[in-house]
Amino acid sequence: MTTRYTGGCQCGDVRYEITGEPRMTVACHCTDCQRQSGSAFGMTLVVPEGDFRLLHGQVKTWSWTSETDRGKLGAFCP
């Protein structure tokens, strides 16, 4: 039996489904993640790309360079 998770953005415009188990969960305390979340950290769930399916809506992506000079990509509801 395959594990199935569903979720989405708080406004409901975007809904997604994840099948299988996540590879890892990350709590990042960098300034970018603090600003994005409005808290002391941001949460990221890492899943294989093939296990992720967008069910409803479209995401907007934003790319930037982190404080440690690494490329980052975020996907958010419009």
Side-chain angles (χ1 to χ4, degrees):
M1 188 166 167
T2 302
T3 304
R4 188 173 306 263
Y5 302 97
T6 59
C9 64
Q10 191 169 4
C11 75
D13 280 350
V14 173
R15 300 298 300 167
Y16 60 82
E17 177 181 77
I18 299 167
T19 54
E21 291 299 321
R23 288 188 179 161
M24 73 173 83
T25 303
V26 178
C28 180
H29 293 81
C30 78
T31 306
D32 290 331
C33 287
Q34 290 174 351
R35 283 189 193 114
Q36 184 272 325
S37 67
S39 71
F41 57 90
M43 298 294 296
T44 300
L45 184 68
V46 180
V47 299
E49 188 173 350
D51 289 355
F52 179 86
R53 184 168 66 113
L54 196 57
L55 299 173
H56 173 73
Q58 300 226 333
V59 296
K60 294 228 177 187
T61 58
W62 178 48
S63 60
W64 69 101
T65 303
S66 72
E67 297 167 341
T68 57
D69 214 27
R70 298 175 78 180
K72 295 175 75 174
L73 176 68
F76 304 92
C77 68

